[in-house]
Amino acid sequence: MSASVSPSDSRVGVWLIGARGSVATSVVAGCAAVTAGLHPPTGLVTETPMFADSGLPPLSSLVFGGHDTVDCPLPKRAEALAAGGVLPPGLPTAVRAELAATDREIRPGGPLPGDTRGEEQLIAAFASDIRDFTRRCELARAVVVNVASTEPLPTGTALPPSSLYAAAALRAGCPYVNFTPSTGLNHPALASLASSTGLPYAGRDGKTGQTLLRSVLGPMFTQRALAVRAWSGTNLLGGGDGASLADPAAAAAKNAGKERVLADVLDEVPEGEVHIDDVPALGDWKTAWDHIAFDGFLGTRMILQTIWQGCDSALAAPLILDLARLTARAHEAGLSGPLGELGFYFKDPVGEGPGALGEQYAALGRFAERLRGAGGERLGEWGAGGERLGVRGVGTEPLDVPGAGAEPLGVPGNGAEPRGDGPGRLGACGGAGHSEEQR
């Protein structure tokens, strides 16, 4: 898709998978609140001086839509979150128009129970929804972000829902971000698709709480030459995430990312496991406890215990806004393939990169410098060693994806021409109202 307009002159779409969930609702309400000056941009790294003049699309330019499988309207969902203390009192009323405008841009996801459509039909339908959103709202580009509930690890060759949505994003010509531990683009059947589209992508599994702390503490032990003997943890959480992670298969997908962080930042993986317990009474709040046994000088045995209590939606929402802006800017600049520099945001990041938070933050700073130096030109793809690999355009020929159905999953370009009509009201775009059957 052409990307010749300045981000300050165009609107950028953020298509959320799981668009009526707690995280997505917090993203839309929070963006509207910050844009209107009702709240400061706390938690938004892209609003810090590091990203000044990096060409990121302004928050006021973001337009939201998405897929979901349940039908609670966003204004009502926001009211429930405010009642639970996740959103500030009165905020759902203050940004009701923006929530309602986004709700009109949410389309039915799937596959739903009884859905007889095959993988190719579902991918085509999802991609069509995204392209229609981009054209109808006159967007310069759109980024697809998966914030749906964690799904179990797949078995067999069938594509899980997260992979259907990921394939649809690329087919629609859109960069893709997987903020969940779900498979997404990591399915073997999508490997060639991900590498051949010329689109940037990032993920997976957002680093918001317990693992964020692990990525800080792990390097501390290594740098001080302290031997970690065991590192165990427990998570107590409620809400939709707690319910989905009560499934051992889904919990295994979640814990894999937590374990990778320790493997990356310690010389060897210590003993210990992470347990996840569903406590419905906690709602959108969670408590994470870590127990770290380590040896000091002369073998002196010591213990460090940490307790993290927080709200996943409030922790995740600013990161989603950061990632949408960074990925959109990377797309405009012509970057393609895995955005390893965004590993700062993920437990299990794509591409090559360090696991320690400090090193990841430094890599993010270098990414900001690259974007700042890009101006309006396309940067091309960069290798792990900093070499420039060139620019690949979005393909228009069908691509065969083994195991994804009998029909090719082709990846046509977005087809939407950039428009410089200005942002208008946050989250709103032209067109008639549509079905509101989603999450």
Side-chain angles (χ1 to χ4, degrees), residues 34-119:
V34 172
T35 298
L38 301 177
H39 289 271
T42 305
L44 279 163
V45 180
T46 51
E47 287 294 298
T48 63
M50 180 166 70
F51 284 97
D53 302 320
S54 290
L56 302 183
L59 292 172
S60 59
S61 74
L62 302 184
V63 181
F64 298 92
H67 281 117
D68 212 324
T69 56
V70 297
D71 58 3
C72 179
L74 278 186
K76 184 175 180 180
R77 181 64 176 150
E79 290 170 2
L81 291 177
V86 177
L87 297 180
L91 183 61
T93 300
V95 299
R96 186 176 183 83
E98 288 82 357
L99 291 167
T102 297
D103 199 70
R104 291 192 293 270
E105 297 300 330
I106 299 175
R107 300 292 176 268
L112 295 166
D115 198 330
T116 60
R117 291 175 294 176
E119 291 176 350

Coordinates of all heavy atoms in Angstrom, one line a residue, residues 34-119:
V34 N -6.7 10.6 26.7 CA -5.5 11.3 26.6 C -5.6 12.4 25.5 O -5.1 13.5 25.7 CB -4.3 10.3 26.3 CG1 -3.0 11.1 26.0 CG2 -4.1 9.4 27.5
T35 N -6.2 12.0 24.4 CA -6.3 13.0 23.3 C -7.1 14.2 23.7 O -6.8 15.3 23.3 CB -7.0 12.3 22.1 OG1 -6.2 11.2 21.7 CG2 -7.2 13.3 20.9
A36 N -8.1 14.0 24.5 CA -9.0 15.1 25.0 C -8.4 15.9 26.1 O -8.9 16.9 26.6 CB -10.4 14.6 25.4
G37 N -7.2 15.5 26.6 CA -6.6 16.1 27.7 C -7.2 15.8 29.1 O -6.9 16.5 30.1
L38 N -8.0 14.8 29.2 CA -8.6 14.4 30.4 C -7.6 13.7 31.4 O -7.8 13.8 32.6 CB -9.8 13.5 30.2 CG -10.9 14.1 29.3 CD1 -12.0 13.1 29.0 CD2 -11.5 15.4 29.9
H39 N -6.6 13.1 30.8 CA -5.7 12.3 31.6 C -4.3 12.5 30.9 O -4.2 12.6 29.7 CB -6.0 10.9 31.8 CG -7.2 10.6 32.7 ND1 -7.1 10.5 34.0 CD2 -8.5 10.6 32.4 CE1 -8.3 10.3 34.6 NE2 -9.2 10.4 33.6
P40 N -3.2 12.4 31.7 CA -1.9 12.4 31.1 C -1.5 11.1 30.5 O -2.2 10.1 30.8 CB -1.0 12.7 32.3 CG -1.7 12.1 33.5 CD -3.2 12.4 33.2
P41 N -0.5 11.1 29.6 CA -0.2 9.8 28.9 C 0.7 8.9 29.7 O 1.7 8.3 29.2 CB 0.5 10.3 27.6 CG 1.2 11.6 28.1 CD 0.2 12.2 29.1
T42 N 0.3 8.6 31.0 CA 1.1 7.7 31.8 C 1.2 6.3 31.2 O 0.2 5.8 30.8 CB 0.4 7.7 33.2 OG1 0.3 9.0 33.7 CG2 1.3 6.8 34.2
G43 N 2.4 5.8 31.2 CA 2.6 4.5 30.6 C 2.9 4.4 29.2 O 3.3 3.4 28.6
L44 N 2.8 5.5 28.5 CA 3.0 5.6 27.0 C 4.5 5.9 26.8 O 4.9 7.1 26.9 CB 2.1 6.6 26.3 CG 0.7 6.1 26.0 CD1 -0.2 7.3 25.8 CD2 0.7 5.2 24.8
V45 N 5.3 5.0 26.4 CA 6.7 5.2 26.2 C 6.9 6.1 24.9 O 7.8 6.9 24.9 CB 7.5 3.9 26.0 CG1 9.0 4.1 25.7 CG2 7.3 3.0 27.3
T46 N 6.0 6.0 24.0 CA 6.1 6.8 22.8 C 5.8 8.2 23.0 O 6.0 9.1 22.1 CB 5.1 6.2 21.7 OG1 3.8 6.1 22.3 CG2 5.5 4.9 21.2
E47 N 5.3 8.6 24.2 CA 5.1 10.0 24.5 C 6.3 10.6 25.3 O 6.2 11.7 25.8 CB 3.8 10.2 25.3 CG 2.5 10.0 24.5 CD 2.4 11.1 23.4 OE1 2.3 12.3 23.8 OE2 2.4 10.8 22.2
T48 N 7.3 9.8 25.5 CA 8.5 10.3 26.2 C 9.4 11.0 25.2 O 9.3 10.8 24.0 CB 9.2 9.2 26.9 OG1 9.7 8.2 25.9 CG2 8.3 8.4 27.9
P49 N 10.4 11.8 25.7 CA 11.3 12.5 24.8 C 12.1 11.6 23.8 O 12.5 12.1 22.7 CB 12.3 13.2 25.7 CG 11.5 13.4 27.0 CD 10.6 12.2 27.1
M50 N 12.3 10.3 24.2 CA 13.0 9.4 23.3 C 12.4 9.4 21.9 O 13.1 9.2 20.9 CB 13.0 8.0 23.9 CG 13.8 7.0 23.0 SD 14.2 5.5 23.9 CE 12.5 4.7 24.1
F51 N 11.1 9.5 21.8 CA 10.4 9.4 20.5 C 10.0 10.8 19.9 O 9.2 10.8 18.9 CB 9.2 8.5 20.6 CG 9.6 7.1 20.7 CD1 9.6 6.4 21.9 CD2 9.9 6.4 19.5 CE1 10.0 5.1 21.9 CE2 10.2 5.0 19.6 CZ 10.3 4.4 20.8
A52 N 10.5 11.9 20.4 CA 10.3 13.2 19.9 C 10.8 13.2 18.4 O 11.9 12.7 18.1 CB 10.9 14.3 20.7
D53 N 10.0 13.7 17.5 CA 10.4 13.9 16.1 C 10.7 12.5 15.4 O 11.4 12.5 14.4 CB 11.6 14.8 16.0 CG 11.3 16.2 16.6 OD1 10.2 16.7 16.4 OD2 12.2 16.7 17.3
S54 N 10.1 11.4 15.9 CA 10.3 10.1 15.2 C 9.2 9.9 14.2 O 9.3 8.8 13.5 CB 10.3 9.0 16.3 OG 11.4 9.0 17.1
G55 N 8.3 10.8 14.0 CA 7.3 10.7 12.9 C 6.2 9.7 13.3 O 5.5 9.2 12.4
L56 N 6.0 9.4 14.5 CA 4.9 8.6 14.9 C 3.5 9.2 14.7 O 3.4 10.4 14.8 CB 5.0 8.2 16.4 CG 6.3 7.5 16.9 CD1 6.1 7.2 18.4 CD2 6.6 6.3 16.1
P57 N 2.5 8.4 14.3 CA 1.2 9.0 14.1 C 0.7 9.5 15.4 O 0.8 8.8 16.5 CB 0.4 7.8 13.6 CG 1.1 6.6 14.0 CD 2.5 7.0 14.0
P58 N 0.1 10.7 15.5 CA -0.4 11.2 16.8 C -1.6 10.4 17.3 O -2.3 9.8 16.5 CB -0.8 12.7 16.4 CG -0.9 12.8 15.0 CD 0.0 11.7 14.4
L59 N -1.8 10.4 18.6 CA -2.9 9.6 19.1 C -4.2 10.1 18.5 O -5.1 9.3 18.4 CB -2.9 9.8 20.7 CG -1.7 9.2 21.4 CD1 -1.8 9.6 22.9 CD2 -1.8 7.6 21.3
S60 N -4.3 11.4 18.2 CA -5.6 11.9 17.7 C -5.9 11.4 16.3 O -7.0 11.5 15.8 CB -5.5 13.4 17.6 OG -4.4 13.9 16.8
S61 N -4.9 10.8 15.6 CA -5.1 10.2 14.3 C -5.6 8.8 14.3 O -5.9 8.3 13.2 CB -3.8 10.4 13.4 OG -2.9 9.4 13.9
L62 N -5.6 8.1 15.4 CA -5.9 6.7 15.5 C -7.4 6.5 15.4 O -8.2 7.2 16.1 CB -5.4 6.1 16.7 CG -3.8 6.2 17.0 CD1 -3.5 5.4 18.2 CD2 -3.1 5.7 15.8
V63 N -7.8 5.6 14.5 CA -9.2 5.2 14.4 C -9.3 3.7 14.7 O -8.5 2.9 14.1 CB -9.7 5.4 12.9 CG1 -11.1 5.1 12.7 CG2 -9.4 6.9 12.5
F64 N -10.3 3.3 15.5 CA -10.3 1.9 16.0 C -11.5 1.1 15.4 O -12.6 1.7 15.1 CB -10.4 1.9 17.5 CG -9.3 2.5 18.2 CD1 -9.3 3.9 18.5 CD2 -8.2 1.8 18.5 CE1 -8.2 4.5 19.2 CE2 -7.1 2.3 19.2 CZ -7.1 3.7 19.5
G65 N -11.2 -0.1 15.2 CA -12.2 -1.1 14.8 C -11.8 -2.5 15.2 O -10.8 -2.6 15.9
G66 N -12.4 -3.5 14.8 CA -11.9 -4.9 15.1 C -12.9 -6.0 14.9 O -14.0 -5.8 14.4
H67 N -12.5 -7.2 15.3 CA -13.3 -8.4 15.3 C -13.5 -8.9 16.8 O -12.6 -8.7 17.6 CB -12.6 -9.5 14.6 CG -12.6 -9.4 13.1 ND1 -11.5 -9.2 12.3 CD2 -13.7 -9.5 12.2 CE1 -11.9 -9.2 11.0 NE2 -13.2 -9.3 11.0
D68 N -14.7 -9.5 17.0 CA -14.9 -10.1 18.2 C -16.1 -11.1 18.1 O -16.7 -11.1 17.0 CB -15.2 -9.2 19.4 CG -14.7 -9.7 20.7 OD1 -14.8 -10.9 20.9 OD2 -14.2 -8.9 21.5
T69 N -16.3 -11.9 19.1 CA -17.3 -13.0 19.0 C -18.4 -12.8 20.0 O -19.3 -13.7 20.1 CB -16.7 -14.4 19.2 OG1 -16.0 -14.4 20.4 CG2 -15.7 -14.7 18.0
V70 N -18.4 -11.7 20.8 CA -19.5 -11.5 21.7 C -20.1 -10.1 21.4 O -19.6 -9.3 20.7 CB -19.0 -11.6 23.2 CG1 -18.6 -13.0 23.5 CG2 -18.0 -10.6 23.4
D71 N -21.3 -9.8 22.1 CA -22.0 -8.7 21.6 C -22.3 -7.6 22.7 O -23.2 -6.8 22.5 CB -23.4 -9.2 21.1 CG -24.2 -9.9 22.2 OD1 -23.7 -10.1 23.3 OD2 -25.3 -10.4 21.8
C72 N -21.4 -7.5 23.7 CA -21.5 -6.5 24.7 C -21.0 -5.2 24.1 O -19.8 -5.1 23.8 CB -20.8 -6.8 26.0 SG -20.9 -5.5 27.2
P73 N -21.8 -4.1 23.9 CA -21.3 -2.9 23.3 C -20.2 -2.3 24.1 O -20.2 -2.4 25.3 CB -22.6 -2.0 23.2 CG -23.7 -2.9 23.3 CD -23.3 -4.1 24.2
L74 N -19.3 -1.6 23.4 CA -18.2 -1.0 24.1 C -18.6 0.0 25.2 O -18.0 0.0 26.3 CB -17.2 -0.3 23.1 CG -16.2 -1.1 22.4 CD1 -15.3 -0.3 21.5 CD2 -15.4 -2.0 23.3
P75 N -19.6 0.9 25.0 CA -20.0 1.8 26.1 C -20.4 1.0 27.4 O -20.0 1.4 28.5 CB -21.1 2.6 25.5 CG -20.9 2.6 24.1 CD -20.3 1.2 23.8
K76 N -21.1 -0.1 27.2 CA -21.5 -0.9 28.4 C -20.3 -1.6 29.0 O -20.2 -1.6 30.2 CB -22.6 -1.9 27.9 CG -23.1 -2.7 29.1 CD -24.3 -3.6 28.6 CE -24.8 -4.4 29.8 NZ -25.9 -5.3 29.3
R77 N -19.4 -2.1 28.2 CA -18.2 -2.7 28.7 C -17.4 -1.7 29.5 O -16.8 -2.0 30.5 CB -17.4 -3.3 27.5 CG -16.2 -4.0 27.9 CD -16.5 -5.2 28.8 NE -15.3 -6.0 29.1 CZ -15.1 -6.7 30.2 NH1 -16.1 -6.8 31.1 NH2 -14.0 -7.4 30.4
A78 N -17.3 -0.5 29.0 CA -16.5 0.5 29.7 C -17.2 0.9 31.0 O -16.4 1.1 32.0 CB -16.4 1.8 28.8
E79 N -18.5 0.9 31.1 CA -19.1 1.1 32.4 C -18.8 0.1 33.4 O -18.6 0.3 34.6 CB -20.7 1.3 32.1 CG -21.1 2.5 31.4 CD -22.5 2.5 31.0 OE1 -23.2 1.5 31.3 OE2 -23.0 3.4 30.3
A80 N -18.8 -1.2 32.9 CA -18.5 -2.3 33.8 C -17.0 -2.2 34.3 O -16.7 -2.4 35.5 CB -18.7 -3.6 33.1
L81 N -16.1 -1.8 33.4 CA -14.7 -1.6 33.9 C -14.6 -0.5 34.9 O -13.8 -0.5 35.8 CB -13.8 -1.3 32.6 CG -13.7 -2.5 31.7 CD1 -12.8 -2.1 30.5 CD2 -13.0 -3.7 32.4
A82 N -15.3 0.6 34.7 CA -15.3 1.7 35.6 C -15.9 1.3 37.0 O -15.3 1.7 38.0 CB -16.1 2.9 35.1
A83 N -16.9 0.5 37.0 CA -17.5 0.0 38.2 C -16.5 -0.9 39.0 O -16.5 -1.0 40.2 CB -18.7 -0.8 37.9
G84 N -15.6 -1.6 38.2 CA -14.6 -2.4 38.8 C -13.3 -1.7 39.2 O -12.3 -2.3 39.6
G85 N -13.2 -0.4 38.9 CA -12.0 0.4 39.2 C -11.0 0.4 38.2 O -9.9 0.9 38.4
V86 N -11.2 -0.3 37.0 CA -10.2 -0.3 36.0 C -10.1 1.0 35.2 O -9.0 1.5 35.0 CB -10.5 -1.5 35.0 CG1 -9.5 -1.5 33.8 CG2 -10.6 -2.8 35.7
L87 N -11.3 1.6 34.9 CA -11.3 2.9 34.3 C -11.8 3.9 35.4 O -12.5 3.6 36.3 CB -12.3 2.9 33.1 CG -12.0 2.0 31.9 CD1 -13.1 2.2 30.9 CD2 -10.6 2.4 31.4
P88 N -11.3 5.2 35.2 CA -11.7 6.2 36.2 C -13.2 6.5 36.2 O -13.9 6.4 35.1 CB -11.0 7.5 35.7 CG -9.9 6.9 34.9 CD -10.4 5.7 34.2
P89 N -13.8 6.8 37.3 CA -15.3 7.1 37.4 C -15.6 8.3 36.4 O -14.8 9.3 36.3 CB -15.5 7.5 38.8 CG -14.4 6.9 39.6 CD -13.2 6.9 38.7
G90 N -16.6 8.1 35.7 CA -17.1 9.2 34.8 C -16.4 9.1 33.4 O -16.9 9.8 32.5
L91 N -15.3 8.4 33.2 CA -14.7 8.4 31.9 C -15.6 7.7 30.9 O -15.6 8.3 29.7 CB -13.3 7.6 32.0 CG -12.5 7.6 30.7 CD1 -12.2 9.0 30.3 CD2 -11.3 6.8 30.9
P92 N -16.3 6.6 31.1 CA -17.1 6.1 30.1 C -18.1 7.1 29.5 O -18.4 7.1 28.3 CB -17.8 4.9 30.7 CG -16.9 4.5 31.8 CD -16.3 5.8 32.3
T93 N -18.7 8.0 30.4 CA -19.6 9.0 29.9 C -18.9 10.0 29.1 O -19.4 10.5 28.1 CB -20.3 9.6 31.1 OG1 -21.0 8.6 31.8 CG2 -21.2 10.7 30.7
A94 N -17.7 10.4 29.6 CA -16.9 11.5 28.9 C -16.5 11.1 27.5 O -16.4 12.0 26.6 CB -15.7 11.9 29.7
V95 N -16.2 9.8 27.2 CA -15.8 9.4 25.9 C -16.8 8.4 25.3 O -16.4 7.6 24.4 CB -14.4 8.7 26.0 CG1 -13.3 9.7 26.6 CG2 -14.4 7.4 26.9
R96 N -18.0 8.6 25.6 CA -19.0 7.6 25.1 C -19.1 7.7 23.6 O -19.3 6.7 22.9 CB -20.4 8.0 25.7 CG -21.5 7.0 25.3 CD -22.8 7.2 26.0 NE -23.8 6.2 25.7 CZ -23.9 5.0 26.2 NH1 -23.1 4.7 27.2 NH2 -24.8 4.2 25.8
A97 N -19.0 8.9 23.0 CA -19.1 9.1 21.6 C -18.0 8.3 20.9 O -18.2 7.6 19.8 CB -19.1 10.5 21.2
E98 N -16.8 8.3 21.4 CA -15.7 7.6 20.8 C -15.9 6.1 20.9 O -15.5 5.3 20.0 CB -14.4 8.1 21.4 CG -13.9 9.4 21.1 CD -14.6 10.6 21.9 OE1 -15.5 10.2 22.7 OE2 -14.2 11.7 21.7
L99 N -16.3 5.7 22.1 CA -16.6 4.2 22.3 C -17.7 3.7 21.3 O -17.5 2.7 20.7 CB -17.0 4.0 23.7 CG -15.9 4.2 24.8 CD1 -16.6 4.2 26.2 CD2 -14.9 3.1 24.7
A100 N -18.7 4.5 21.2 CA -19.8 4.1 20.3 C -19.4 4.1 18.8 O -19.7 3.2 18.0 CB -21.0 5.1 20.4
A101 N -18.5 5.1 18.4 CA -18.0 5.1 17.1 C -17.2 3.9 16.8 O -17.3 3.3 15.7 CB -17.2 6.4 16.8
T102 N -16.3 3.5 17.7 CA -15.5 2.3 17.6 C -16.4 1.0 17.5 O -16.2 0.1 16.7 CB -14.5 2.1 18.7 OG1 -13.6 3.2 18.6 CG2 -13.7 0.8 18.6
D103 N -17.4 1.0 18.4 CA -18.3 -0.2 18.4 C -19.0 -0.4 17.0 O -19.2 -1.6 16.7 CB -19.4 0.0 19.5 CG -20.0 -1.3 19.9 OD1 -19.4 -2.1 20.5 OD2 -21.2 -1.5 19.5
R104 N -19.3 0.7 16.3 CA -19.9 0.5 15.0 C -18.9 -0.1 14.0 O -19.3 -0.5 12.9 CB -20.4 1.9 14.5 CG -21.6 2.4 15.3 CD -22.3 3.6 14.6 NE -21.4 4.7 14.6 CZ -21.4 5.7 15.5 NH1 -22.2 5.6 16.6 NH2 -20.6 6.7 15.4
E105 N -17.6 0.0 14.3 CA -16.6 -0.6 13.4 C -16.1 -2.0 13.8 O -15.1 -2.5 13.3 CB -15.4 0.4 13.4 CG -15.7 1.7 12.8 CD -16.2 1.7 11.4 OE1 -15.8 0.7 10.6 OE2 -17.0 2.5 11.0
I106 N -16.9 -2.6 14.7 CA -16.5 -4.0 15.1 C -17.3 -5.0 14.3 O -18.5 -4.8 14.2 CB -16.7 -4.2 16.6 CG1 -15.8 -3.2 17.4 CG2 -16.4 -5.6 17.0 CD1 -16.0 -3.2 18.9
R107 N -16.7 -6.0 13.8 CA -17.3 -7.0 13.0 C -17.3 -8.4 13.6 O -16.4 -8.7 14.4 CB -16.7 -7.1 11.6 CG -16.7 -5.8 10.8 CD -18.2 -5.5 10.4 NE -18.3 -4.1 9.8 CZ -18.5 -3.0 10.4 NH1 -18.7 -3.0 11.7 NH2 -18.6 -1.9 9.8
P108 N -18.2 -9.3 13.3 CA -18.2 -10.6 13.9 C -17.0 -11.4 13.6 O -16.5 -11.5 12.5 CB -19.5 -11.3 13.3 CG -20.3 -10.2 12.8 CD -19.4 -9.1 12.4
G109 N -16.4 -12.0 14.6 CA -15.2 -12.8 14.4 C -15.6 -14.3 14.3 O -16.7 -14.6 13.9
G110 N -14.7 -15.1 14.5 CA -15.0 -16.6 14.4 C -13.8 -17.4 14.5 O -12.7 -16.9 14.7
P111 N -13.9 -18.7 14.2 CA -15.2 -19.3 13.9 C -16.1 -19.5 15.1 O -15.6 -19.8 16.2 CB -14.8 -20.7 13.4 CG -13.5 -21.0 14.0 CD -12.8 -19.7 14.2
L112 N -17.4 -19.2 15.0 CA -18.4 -19.4 16.0 C -18.9 -20.8 16.0 O -18.8 -21.5 15.0 CB -19.5 -18.4 15.8 CG -19.2 -16.9 15.9 CD1 -20.3 -16.0 15.3 CD2 -18.9 -16.5 17.3
P113 N -19.5 -21.2 17.1 CA -20.1 -22.6 17.1 C -21.1 -22.8 16.0 O -21.9 -21.9 15.7 CB -20.9 -22.6 18.5 CG -20.1 -21.6 19.3 CD -19.7 -20.5 18.4
G114 N -20.9 -23.9 15.3 CA -21.8 -24.1 14.1 C -21.3 -23.5 12.8 O -22.0 -23.7 11.8
D115 N -20.3 -22.7 12.9 CA -19.8 -22.1 11.7 C -19.2 -23.1 10.7 O -18.3 -23.9 11.0 CB -18.6 -21.1 12.0 CG -18.4 -20.1 10.9 OD1 -18.6 -20.4 9.8 OD2 -17.9 -19.0 11.3
T116 N -19.8 -23.2 9.5 CA -19.4 -24.2 8.5 C -18.3 -23.7 7.5 O -17.9 -24.4 6.6 CB -20.6 -24.7 7.7 OG1 -21.2 -23.6 7.0 CG2 -21.6 -25.3 8.7
R117 N -17.9 -22.4 7.7 CA -16.9 -21.9 6.7 C -15.5 -22.6 7.0 O -15.1 -22.8 8.1 CB -16.7 -20.4 6.9 CG -17.9 -19.6 6.4 CD -17.8 -18.1 6.7 NE -17.8 -17.9 8.2 CZ -17.6 -16.7 8.7 NH1 -17.4 -15.6 7.9 NH2 -17.6 -16.5 10.0
G118 N -14.8 -22.8 5.9 CA -13.5 -23.3 6.0 C -12.4 -22.2 6.3 O -12.8 -21.0 6.3
E119 N -11.2 -22.6 6.4 CA -10.1 -21.7 6.7 C -10.0 -20.5 5.7 O -9.9 -19.4 6.0 CB -8.8 -22.4 6.9 CG -8.8 -23.3 8.1 CD -7.5 -24.1 8.2 OE1 -6.7 -24.1 7.2 OE2 -7.2 -24.7 9.3

